[in-house]
Amino acid sequence: MEPVAQRSSIGPWHWHSAADALRPIHVARPGANDPCWCGSGQKYKRCHRDADGARGGGGCSSWSGGVRPGLVSPKRAVPAEIPRPNYAVSGRPRPSPRLGDAALRLQKIRRACLAAAEVLAEGGYAVRPGVTTDAIDAVVHEAYLVRGGYPSTLNYHGYPKSLCTSVNEVILHGIPDSRPLEEGDIVNLDVTIYLDGMHGDCSATFAVGKVDESSRRLMRVTRECLELGISAVKPGRPINEIGKAIEAHATKHGYGVVRAFCGHGIGEDFHMEPQVLHYFEPRAQMAMEEGMVFTIEPMLTMGGPEHVVWRDGWTVVTVDGQRAAQYEHTILVARDGAEVLTLPLFSEARPSVQSVQVEALRPL
């Protein structure tokens, strides 16, 4: 997932202590006619200025939540024989040449996406109370290697681990660490593999033991939003139909839709055009075309969708400390609609767009 508009080049990840990582980055209020900090694209005066004034702060100046960072282990090694993307050493991704053979390109993307789905399933099976997110990172890392793949997140703009683990109020980009999962938590696992020159990307939110009904409902509605977004895919339709379907369903159920991060094209590069917004943007009129491959990955929040980034430069949390959930698939725009590429072969849902709930991972 990438921030809306243009991905910022976040510098190498580092912090000196857990306490240092936790301090949110202060962002001064924008000017009245500047773009709003939330990423909506609207002017600040027409978006969050009044709300920020009511709570006496800027959009990213404070944060309230229960998740605290643990210790982060060293980066895990990848055998030299496994092909890796161009940023694996430098941490700075460069555009990759696009494979000219369309049929071969799609074949390779399918393989990477299927592998990502299988890796996500293995990570999901490891979720339970008492297990650290670092231990899940180890499981997922090994699952990439067994398939001959490289963890796409590893050293991407300096990111230090092999997947993202986002617990409770963490919206996305949570770094696996020594914190044990607790009964009642929810955790999103975001998996991307680089395999045979292509990336495949998917994520799901898992219940840790028995969770409360409000969290189950958040997870269910978020998954339904993904289904509705996928069902909106059809050649010739404007791409904003995806966000329109997602936002309408989320709003109907009283949830916030995170606007600052979006889905994206994927293939030779981790993040490519087009950007896929999860809310309705009238100006996003690009027509979907047969053969396009991109992710749809709505993030819903129990409270407001505003976010703050921890000082680690990655962990994105809700400002109000309320929980968030996310589900993601990579899809292909096919002649008659969407084909979901990131479903395990053993799922009866493949390739139906009517049942994209990743049932094999953990039904609610």
Side-chain angles (χ1 to χ4, degrees):
M1 170 185 329
E2 63 178 346
V4 172
Q6 183 176 2
R7 184 175 184 92
S8 60
S9 297
I10 300 175
W13 166 90
H14 67 279
W15 48 275
H16 301 293
S17 68
D20 184 61
L22 187 59
R23 289 197 297 272
I25 298 172
H26 178 84
V27 179
R29 286 200 202 185
N33 291 310
D34 291 337
C36 186
W37 53 262
C38 75
S40 67
Q42 299 184 60
K43 292 182 178 179
Y44 181 55
K45 66 183 180 183
R46 298 186 183 278
C47 197
H48 276 95
R49 184 177 66 175
D50 292 344
D52 288 347
R55 69 172 169 247
C60 296
S61 63
S62 61
W63 164 76
S64 172
V67 174
R68 296 294 184 270
L71 299 176
V72 178
S73 64
K75 293 178 182 178
R76 292 187 159 86
V78 177
E81 64 270 18
I82 289 183
R84 53 205 70 206
N86 58 39
Y87 56 81
V89 175
S90 69
R92 298 185 296 274
R94 306 183 307 277
S96 302
R98 184 165 175 140
L99 187 61
D101 186 326
L104 178 60
R105 180 176 188 267
L106 181 56
Q107 178 183 331
K108 288 174 176 282
I109 290 175
R110 286 183 186 279
R111 182 167 172 249
C113 287
L114 176 58
E118 293 171 348
V119 171
L120 178 59
E122 292 199 28
Y125 292 138
V127 172
R128 61 183 182 275
V131 173
T132 67
T133 51
D134 186 64
I136 297 173
D137 183 77
V139 169
V140 166
H141 184 85
E142 183 61 26
Y144 291 127
L145 303 187
V146 165
R147 291 165 175 79
Y150 180 92
S152 298
T153 58
L154 190 61
N155 209 34
Y156 184 77
H157 288 290
Y159 186 81
K161 305 302 283 182
S162 298
L163 85 159
C164 297
T165 53
S166 300
V167 180
N168 297 342
E169 71 268 19
V170 181
I171 300 171
L172 73 162
H173 299 165
I175 298 173
D177 61 22
S178 63
R179 177 191 182 274
L181 294 172
E182 299 176 2
E183 183 85 17
D185 284 345
I186 61 174
V187 58
N188 176 271
L189 306 184
D190 194 343
V191 162
T192 314
I193 190 172
Y194 180 75
L195 182 65
D196 197 17
M198 299 291 169
H199 297 269
D201 190 3
C202 55
S203 85
T205 300
F206 298 87
V208 182
K210 185 177 181 180
V211 302
D212 59 55
E213 180 56 35
S214 61
S215 295
R216 293 175 65 86
R217 181 173 177 270
L218 173 68
M219 295 166 68
R220 174 178 59 80
V221 174
T222 306
R223 200 162 59 185
E224 290 169 356
C225 283
L226 174 60
E227 295 174 6
L228 290 168
I230 291 172
S231 296
V233 172
K234 193 171 184 179
R237 285 185 179 174
I239 202 164
N240 63 12
E241 290 290 325
I242 297 171
K244 183 178 181 180
I246 290 169
E247 185 175 36
H249 192 65
T251 301
K252 173 183 173 182
H253 289 275
Y255 294 119
V257 178
V258 174
R259 290 172 167 240
F261 300 88
C262 62
H264 52 88
I266 192 167
E268 292 86 350
D269 294 324
F270 194 166
H271 296 97
M272 307 171 65
E273 292 296 328
Q275 292 193 332
V276 183
L277 305 181
H278 302 121
Y279 59 93
F280 180 62
E281 170 50 69
R283 295 170 295 180
Q285 288 290 328
M286 183 184 67
M288 290 179 272
E289 299 177 2
E290 187 174 349
M292 281 183 170
V293 177
F294 51 76
T295 69
I296 303 175
E297 43 187 304
M299 295 143 279
L300 270 58
T301 59
M302 284 185 175
E306 297 84 7
H307 72 276
V308 63
V309 182
W310 284 359
R311 294 196 72 85
D312 61 22
W314 287 103
T315 306
V316 178
V317 298
T318 59
V319 169
D320 58 19
Q322 296 200 58
R323 290 186 170 188
Q326 180 190 25
Y327 291 85
E328 173 188 9
H329 276 305
T330 297
I331 66 98
L332 166 70
V333 181
R335 180 178 303 173
D336 299 321
E339 179 185 348
V340 181
L341 301 179
T342 43
L343 284 173
L345 282 175
F346 52 75
S347 170
E348 294 180 356
R350 186 179 178 90
S352 169
V353 300
Q354 299 300 319
S355 180
V356 296
Q357 300 146 323
V358 200
E359 295 292 342
L361 301 185
R362 189 168 306 234
L364 296 177

